[in-house]
Amino acid sequence: MHDTAALCEAAARRLLEPGLPATAEVQEFLDWIACPVPADPGPVERDRALLLRAAGRFTRLFGLDCPTAPGLAVFGAEVPLDLLAASPGLPLAAASGTGASLLEAFFSCLGEGVELLASVETAADRASLRADPPHPVDADWLGQVLPAGAAPEGWAEMRRLDAPGSLWLPASLCFRSAGSGPPPWPLSIGCAAGPTPEAAALHALLELIERDAAALWWRGGSRGRPVALEDPAAAAAASLLGQLRQGLPPGGAGRRSWLLDLTTDLAVPVLAALSTDADGRGLCCGIAARSGRAAAARAAVLEMAQMETAHAVVLAKRREGGDAALNARDRAHLARYHGIGADRCALLHPEGAADPATALPDDPAAAFAAVTGRLGARGIPVLVRDLTRPALGVPVLRVLCPGLAVEPGRFLGARLLACQAASGGGDCHHGGIGLL
């Protein structure tokens, strides 16, 4: 790609106006990622065109290989967060996407890049902030989330979906901005792009459910359940894993993989896919919440394989530059990979009976409404803010649920504390080594 912006713009135009002539380079690119060009463009093509035009603003796009999953497609991107920011000073950010095909991985990466760009505080966002909010979020929860003595520089309005009205949160929990302190959890959590606002909102909410389940499991010490062979999740995971390990002899990946059911009291399917070396070391983990169990298992396996790819990248960095070349995230990855043994960590193994009877409606709006109702019944607000940026055009929404646990994150909260009190917590199993 000699000129990424021009190529992405031309590819977008090709999808929207297939009757117009296209250069050989554009057609070769679309053929390479196996992106079809139907004669009558529909919503899928319009969504992909918007993502391609946004990708033209990225600094770099690149592919990666996974030695333990040759069938995995991985794309990465560098995203200039300053592009839409109200104030300069934000660094480049990394986006990534995986899939069983180049097409799936490529557009997954572009979607994550758009999420990053849209999460930045723009001039319009800043103008909408208030110094004294009329309806602030719960003060007790906020006291746990913000550092002691921290005073928000501005408050952002979040529409409440579990009840009428709005609540106001510190802007630092809603947007990325230069100069703000470190957030209590990664701001990528609960921020999602989608082909429609309803799909984006559901994706964001399911990510919050996923990270709540991960926290209750890893830090809370709540054991996962087994996944029955009759469960559609088991068949989906086995089929995808066979595809990802393709080209390797039986056992040639040197990995052992299995599923855990992390579904919580919210009855939203959450599955974890785990893999280790043959000796039980080298833990890699993917966790996903989806409307259906098979989809959750598939997404979890892709995340697990992406973590295997990350380990290969970290090892390559260390070979080339030594330990000095590693950042904090790289070192945390190595600590988890080499510091946890499956023979000594009970959290990696199932407990209790399998229970596959969890699913949500297929329609995104209906699924979102179902989960919102379950959260509201537990007194957990569901707050949303539209982050769709006119310059990008892709629907992006941020969803926050004060009361859910978050992994990774530095705050505990009543839900996680109650889980730790009931189980004894997760640190006794893994010594405090981080999961994500």
Side-chain angles (χ1 to χ4, degrees):
M1 299 184 192
H2 298 95
D3 185 341
T4 302
L7 182 60
C8 288
E9 173 59 34
R13 191 165 56 251
R14 172 72 172 149
L15 289 180
L16 295 176
E17 302 177 79
L20 297 180
T23 66
E25 183 185 24
V26 169
Q27 193 56 53
E28 285 174 5
F29 169 64
L30 291 171
D31 290 344
W32 176 59
I33 62 173
C35 183
V37 184
D40 185 16
V44 171
E45 287 69 43
R46 288 192 287 274
D47 178 56
R48 288 174 176 170
L50 287 172
L51 291 173
L52 281 165
R53 284 173 169 154
R57 300 165 177 260
F58 297 172
T59 303
R60 190 162 69 102
L61 284 165
F62 54 91
L64 293 169
D65 295 321
C66 180
T68 57
L72 180 72
V74 185
F75 269 97
E78 290 182 348
V79 181
L81 294 182
D82 265 355
L83 187 67
L84 304 178
S87 300
L90 287 166
L92 290 172
S96 62
T98 59
S101 67
L102 285 175
L103 183 69
E104 182 183 11
F106 182 73
F107 283 105
S108 174
C109 177
L110 300 196
E112 186 169 297
V114 168
E115 292 167 16
L116 289 169
L117 284 176
S119 67
V120 170
E121 183 184 71
T122 66
D125 293 327
R126 183 168 291 180
S128 72
L129 301 182
R130 290 194 182 184
D132 298 307
H135 303 290
V137 75
D138 180 72
D140 290 339
W141 176 81
L142 196 60
Q144 300 171 39
V145 170
L146 295 181
E153 295 183 2
W155 295 76
E157 184 178 19
M158 300 281 288
R159 186 161 54 96
R160 188 167 184 173
L161 299 185
D162 62 303
S166 300
L167 289 177
W168 292 71
L169 274 72
S172 60
L173 300 182
C174 302
F175 316 111
R176 302 173 191 271
S177 61
S180 61
W185 53 75
L187 288 183
S188 57
I189 298 174
C191 181
T196 64
E198 294 79 10
L202 178 62
H203 189 158
L205 182 58
L206 290 179
E207 188 171 35
L208 294 175
I209 301 294
E210 165 199 314
R211 296 310 181 94
D212 172 75
L216 298 183
W217 171 51
W218 197 250
R219 286 193 287 154
S222 177
R223 298 276 295 276
R225 291 186 300 279
V227 176
L229 292 177
E230 296 81 5
D231 192 323
S239 175
L240 178 58
L241 193 61
Q243 185 177 352
L244 299 184
R245 306 282 195 222
Q246 66 182 353
L248 296 172
R255 308 290 295 176
R256 304 292 182 266
S257 308
W258 65 99
L259 293 175
L260 279 180
D261 184 356
L262 301 184
T263 303
T264 70
D265 59 315
L266 299 174
V268 176
V270 184
L271 275 294
L274 310 170
S275 75
T276 66
D277 294 335
D279 63 359
R281 297 281 175 176
L283 173 66
C284 289
C285 175
I287 305 172
R290 293 292 187 273
S291 296
R293 294 177 64 82
R298 187 182 186 279
V301 169
L302 289 174
E303 290 290 332
M304 177 193 76
Q306 185 175 17
M307 191 175 282
E308 293 177 14
T309 307
H311 178 65
V313 171
V314 172
L315 291 183
K317 287 176 65 175
R318 189 163 65 174
R319 281 194 302 270
E320 294 175 6
D323 287 341
L326 305 182
N327 58 33
R329 187 169 184 176
D330 296 333
R331 290 189 288 272
H333 185 87
L334 291 175
R336 180 188 60 252
Y337 197 91
H338 299 290
I340 297 175
D343 58 334
R344 294 183 288 104
C345 184
L347 290 182
L348 301 182
H349 305 286
E351 180 181 60
D355 181 17
T358 52
L360 294 172
D362 291 332
D363 176 67
F368 188 91
V371 181
T372 297
R374 295 172 194 178
L375 290 165
R378 289 162 176 77
I380 298 176
V382 180
L383 311 177
V384 65
R385 184 171 178 115
D386 192 345
L387 297 184
T388 304
R389 307 306 187 187
L392 303 174
V394 180
V396 179
L397 279 87
R398 176 173 297 288
V399 178
L400 278 168
C401 295
L404 288 183
V406 185
E407 178 67 27
R410 64 169 183 255
F411 90 106
L412 295 174
R415 186 169 166 85
L416 181 53
L417 287 171
C419 185
Q420 291 178 335
S423 69
D427 283 2
C428 62
H429 298 287
H430 49 66
I433 295 176
L435 177 66
L436 302 173

